[in-house]
Amino acid sequence: MLDAVVYDRDHGVREFDAAASLDAARDADGTTWVRAHETDRETFDRVAEVFGIHALAVEDVVNNVQPKAEEFQNYTFCLVKATALLRDDAETPAFDEVVRDDPVGVFFGDDWVVTMSTARLPSVDRVRQAVAREDERLLQRGPDFTAYRVLDVVVDGYFDVLDDIEASIEDLEELVLVTTDIEVLERVNGLRRELLAFRKLAWPARDAVGVLARGDPDQVAPETEKYFRDVADHLVQVVDLVETYRELVRGSRDIYLNTLSQSTNEVMKRLTVVAVIFLPLTFFAGLFGMNFETMPELGWPYAYHAALFGMAAVAAVLALYFNEQGYL
């Protein structure tokens, strides 16, 4: 899908049929925003040709590479990733979730901004709807400010994902204290994978936005730098939360393994007690089961009853002793 809007002070926001008149949108007076999403590589290349965007930058968006920021002669390119926490029942257990990331390429020049994404993203849609309402904080303040707003709403979505992960961690911390089922360990590993995937996109995104926050590109106006710094601060907070949650999950895993080890020790302790109790019984049974003609008490009528009583008494004494010691 391809759409375009142009803002100028005399006519406000005007929509263009970008598929039919992309050049007209590019050459219109005012600030132009072209959005390409859910489309093929040919459409991306056509937009890149009209706005002079390098083919390798488009390829970065299509191939979903790590977040980055690059400064070109006539425009600045910033790639971030929108995220969502999705359940994938076909490939993961019912309790497991996966972090889905979709690339968002933001290109902005002196009087235009282009966004490219392989999927339709609700976060970018919200900015587009704000432009349609002629929000004075967007295109009116230049393409760099519009680029900031797109990056801002994408990064704000990170906190929603982290809130869901935090809720899962809280449930996990309660679960590891009451059960040692193998599903708990699988859930721990699932959360670790989610946080690792999130970490891989949050760290480079922080560095990428940091380039814009410092005002290195010529297309970033001095008055807009503070807004990019705000996004960079949010990303620093995201990175800190990810590291904190990784430590919490690691702690939950350690608690689970310690609980499992303690449970195993308790089982082994009980088995050892049972073996110790049956050891003298086995001795008595083996002793009196030998077929020697001259064994003492073989002719005594009460020999069997005495041996049986003796074994029972020994077993009872051992059982009482181990019970007092807390082994039973």
Side-chain angles (χ1 to χ4, degrees):
M1 183 175 177
L2 191 63
D3 59 63
V5 291
V6 176
Y7 173 85
D8 65 75
R9 297 183 181 276
D10 295 332
H11 303 91
V13 175
R14 293 177 295 161
E15 294 192 10
F16 280 74
D17 184 359
S21 56
L22 189 59
D23 292 305
R26 171 66 180 88
D27 297 332
D29 294 333
T31 302
T32 301
W33 178 13
V34 173
R35 182 177 59 156
H37 59 90
E38 288 184 311
T39 186
D40 52 25
R41 177 61 186 272
E42 182 179 352
T43 303
F44 285 148
D45 290 338
R46 186 160 66 90
V47 174
E49 181 180 359
V50 171
F51 287 87
I53 297 173
H54 200 284
L56 291 179
V58 177
E59 188 174 318
D60 289 340
V61 177
V62 175
N63 293 336
N64 196 11
V65 301
Q66 283 192 343
K68 60 191 299 187
E70 294 183 352
E71 182 181 1
F72 293 84
Q73 183 176 359
N74 298 318
Y75 64 92
T76 297
F77 166 50
C78 184
L79 173 66
V80 293
K81 296 186 180 184
T83 62
L85 201 59
L86 303 178
R87 193 177 298 278
D88 189 358
D89 295 325
E91 299 179 1
T92 58
F95 56 80
D96 205 0
E97 295 171 317
V98 293
V99 175
R100 173 182 172 180
D101 59 85
D102 295 298
V104 182
V106 182
F107 307 83
F108 58 98
D110 294 333
D111 62 350
W112 57 269
V113 57
V114 171
T115 56
M116 295 184 183
S117 56
T118 55
R120 182 160 191 167
L121 305 175
S123 54
V124 181
D125 283 344
R126 289 197 296 270
V127 183
R128 175 67 176 79
Q129 292 167 3
V131 172
R133 296 192 300 268
E134 301 187 23
D135 191 330
E136 64 178 10
R137 297 173 299 172
L138 295 171
L139 289 179
Q140 181 181 356
R141 301 181 65 172
D144 55 341
F145 192 85
T146 304
Y148 144 73
R149 284 294 295 134
V150 173
L151 298 177
D152 186 47
V153 296
V154 170
V155 172
D156 285 345
Y158 293 177
F159 290 99
D160 296 333
V161 175
L162 289 176
D163 287 343
D164 293 337
I165 293 179
E166 181 184 9
S168 298
I169 293 175
E170 290 176 355
D171 294 339
L172 179 63
E173 288 177 334
E174 296 178 0
L175 201 58
V176 295
L177 297 176
V178 298
T179 180
T180 56
D181 292 341
I182 190 62
E183 289 81 4
V184 177
L185 183 59
E186 294 176 358
R187 186 168 185 175
V188 169
N189 291 332
L191 283 171
R192 291 182 64 199
R193 288 193 298 269
E194 292 171 15
L195 290 169
L196 179 60
F198 207 89
R199 184 178 187 272
K200 288 181 178 179
L201 64 90
W203 274 89
R206 184 189 65 172
D207 296 336
V209 176
V211 173
L212 306 180
R214 293 192 301 267
D216 295 345
D218 295 336
Q219 288 75 26
V220 177
E223 59 270 19
T224 312
E225 292 178 16
K226 58 179 175 290
Y227 297 104
F228 285 115
R229 284 197 296 270
D230 181 67
V231 179
D233 291 341
H234 289 173
L235 284 168
V236 171
Q237 185 179 356
V238 167
V239 170
D240 290 342
L241 285 174
V242 170
E243 296 301 325
T244 300
Y245 292 163
R246 292 185 71 195
E247 288 297 325
L248 290 176
V249 172
R250 188 179 296 113
S252 296
R253 182 189 61 177
D254 292 341
I255 292 174
Y256 170 82
L257 294 177
N258 290 336
T259 304
L260 181 62
S261 177
Q262 183 178 358
S263 177
T264 302
N265 290 338
E266 290 295 326
V267 172
M268 294 303 298
K269 185 190 299 182
R270 284 174 170 78
L271 291 177
T272 302
V273 169
V274 172
V276 170
I277 292 175
F278 274 90
L279 183 61
L281 306 185
T282 305
F283 170 76
F284 275 110
L287 179 64
F288 286 96
M290 294 186 293
N291 296 321
F292 293 116
E293 294 183 359
T294 59
M295 283 183 63
E297 311 301 341
L298 283 178
W300 186 37
Y302 302 105
Y304 170 78
H305 302 86
L308 190 64
F309 175 78
M311 289 189 293
V314 171
V317 170
L318 290 175
L320 289 174
Y321 171 77
F322 286 122
N323 184 59
E324 291 179 356
Q325 297 298 319
Y327 293 143
L328 292 177

